[in-house]
Amino acid sequence: EGDTLPGGELAPGETLEACVRRHLDEAALAHLEQLETRSDPARNAETWELATAYLGLVPSDVAVAGDWRPIDRLPPLVHDHRAIVLAARARLRGKLSYTNIGFALAPRTFTISELREIYVAALGHDVSATNLQRVLVRRGVLVPTGEQRLPGRAGGRPAALFRFSTRKIEIT
């Protein structure tokens, strides 16, 4: 067998989105969108079931319940749940290139270095902090706050803090 993604049955009179929010920590969600619907009769050997998957994003500084792991270290998953996770990752990676969806992964304010770490984790490859800042500022996605984060124990100079210009998804 294996682990399952969060989910459950749709209650009478309930919308799909309301069902998703009921099964997740709704307060933690910064973005939620329908990913895909799966209806292959063979997806569950025990019963025929229709599954509508959602992509839900939570900022990196929000604590949520559950066992969070990198995709490459997931335990075995039931049915087609691994394929759903991979489809969600592909959707997120694509949207990072043409939307401001990074807002849903980042804290309210952040340094470019912190944002770079989030993009590296989501994209699965290295990202230049300088290029990331240049592209996102040019698109009007990032706004400097005028504040700085004091250096940590390692020292260095204070880092400028940024925020996303909006916390709603937009095509950029």
Side-chain angles (χ1 to χ4, degrees), residues 66 70 77 95 100 164:
L77 298 174
K95 285 199 161 194
N100 66 335
F164 277 87

Side-chain angles (χ1 to χ4, degrees), residues 11-24:
E14 187 175 44
T15 66
L16 288 170
E17 187 170 323
C19 180
V20 170
R21 291 182 182 280
R22 179 169 50 88
H23 289 284
L24 297 176

